[in-house]
Amino acid sequence: MNFSPGILAAFAAFAFVLVGACQFVDNESLDAGPLVTDSAAVFAALVLFGLVLPGRFGLPAQIFIAMVLGIAAGWGLAVAGRLVVVTDYLGVFGQLFLLPLKMVIVPLVFVSVLLGAAGLGDVRKLGSVGLKVTAFFLTSTSVAVFIGMMFFNVIHPGRGMQSVGDQYLAEKAAEGDAPEAKEAPALSAGMKIQKEILPQIFQNPIMVTDTDKAPILAIITLALLLGAGLGAIGERSESAIKALQAADGALITIIMWIMNLAPLGVFALMAHAIATLGFEYLQSLSVYVITVVLGLVVHAGFLIFVMVGLVAGISPARYVRAMAPAMQVAFTTSSSNAALPINIRCAVERLGVDRGIVQFVLPIGATANMDGTALYTAVATLFVAEVLGIDMTTTQQLTIFVMSIVISIGTAGIPGGSIAMMGLIYDAVGLPLEALGLILGVDRVLDMCRTTVNVMGDSIGAAIVARFEGRPAVAPSGVT
């Protein structure tokens, strides 16, 4: 840990200037008491999440700690009557996490979906293997989303949170975000930073994200068609695909940079949620987690007992034993890409699936087959809408169903990759991006679970395709 006087002085100066400038703009004066205490709170957050935690914990642990501390800070500051610290000052850090994500969402989805479509090759020459892989991916992902939406509509984890939703919408109206807001009160200086200044800095200059100007489904459709076109022209597309792969890698790198801000962002957003919505929100959040996990467990059961046992013709017990190391890596890393090498090795050496089919299916599946992610995004979107008291029409639920499937194709196989994609669905159904703060605190735990299901789906798809290609999986000698 680097506690150099220069860094500490920079943090202290930033906290003092932020609080002092906002206080002066709002009140045309400075109050020494709140100026010192509020600056100290911001300074403590910067030191904790900028210096202390990164030197001692990995990112998953930092996010979990941030969630817990955010709950405590939100409650404590609300009780102390210093809600302004949460909304105006710490809220800046929440926006510094969310807005850069929003800035890269559309380019990342466009490039990732395009490459996923191009990776299938010429659709006219896919052959039996390619067609079977495509059919399995679409079927399994559709089933996953259906299961997730079914569990949501049975459990309704956000039910009973109408007062929370009303409070949230009232707050957005006061900030000038709600469409129905008329003659809203003037924004405080801290809110102007979050709602006017930062959005001007972190906006996408290449592809607009306003759905009134650029319909998201149209962007995805163009990506699919252009990807299919590049796949169809064969060798002539190599230079373009290489350039797009470089762009995809650069965008993923940017996402990883932004994710380093996740602990501070989650802390600020969780503190804001608790301070403004109360502990009732936590109860609903726990039911939401249970809903997602139940959906993932049921879908995993469908994959293992139906797809593996009946379709692939492999004993479910043998499958679980053979693929356990890959599932363990997926769970601990929350990354389909990190689990890919061991997933290939287990599928070939322990499960006995044909190597050629495995090496074709699994790399594509690591980016284009995200059952768990699709299920999660559907449930998460419906949950946020329900908490906010927004009834999703049949058309909107159908939009969520389709977009959860399509966007899962372009989700990066990295920890937290789906967070960057959620904003697109939110835009499509009219939810505010800031509502991501309602679910970010528990995302890492759910990320571990859904990544495990994602990785399972890839190896199961390879086993099924191999069987229908006349090359069924055969357990290697010494493996049962």
Side-chain angles (χ1 to χ4, degrees), residues 303-314 316 467-468:
L303 290 175
I304 293 174
F305 293 103
V306 177
M307 290 298 196
V308 171
L310 299 180
V311 183
I314 300 173
R467 186 187 187 190
F468 282 92

Side-chain angles (χ1 to χ4, degrees), residues 300-334:
F302 165 78
L303 290 175
I304 293 174
F305 293 103
V306 177
M307 290 298 196
V308 171
L310 299 180
V311 183
I314 300 173
S315 162
R318 180 165 81 84
Y319 172 82
V320 172
R321 287 196 299 269
M323 301 305 300
M327 288 187 277
Q328 182 180 12
V329 171
F331 184 80
T332 54
T333 64
S334 299

Side-chain angles (χ1 to χ4, degrees), residues 379-420:
V379 175
T381 304
L382 290 170
F383 170 73
V384 168
E386 190 168 64
V387 167
L388 299 183
I390 301 173
D391 292 328
M392 290 285 105
T393 64
T394 302
T395 300
Q396 287 175 312
Q397 291 214 27
L398 182 60
T399 299
I400 293 171
F401 181 89
V402 173
M403 290 198 66
S404 295
I405 295 171
V406 175
I407 285 183
S408 70
I409 297 173
T411 300
I414 58 174
S418 60
I419 289 298

Side-chain angles (χ1 to χ4, degrees), residues 136-137 347 353 357-358 361-362 457-467:
F136 171 79
F137 285 174
V353 182
I357 289 178
V358 168
V361 174
L362 265 61
D458 298 342
S459 57
I460 292 171
I464 290 174
V465 171
R467 186 187 187 190

Side-chain angles (χ1 to χ4, degrees), residues 132-156:
K132 290 181 178 70
V133 169
T134 303
F136 171 79
F137 285 174
L138 290 176
T139 300
S140 63
T141 305
S142 299
V143 170
V145 177
F146 175 80
I147 289 173
M149 296 181 73
M150 178 189 68
F151 269 97
F152 175 85
N153 283 292
V154 170
I155 298 174
H156 286 288

Side-chain angles (χ1 to χ4, degrees), residues 14 27 29 36 38 55 59 120 153 173 206 210 238 249 275 314-315 324 333 388 398 407 412 423 431 442 458 461 468:
F14 178 84
N27 305 318
S29 64
V36 171
D38 295 352
L59 187 60
L120 294 174
N153 283 292
I206 302 172
D210 185 342
E238 288 182 0
I314 300 173
S315 162
T333 64
L388 299 183
L398 182 60
I407 285 183
L431 297 177
V442 295
D458 298 342
F468 282 92

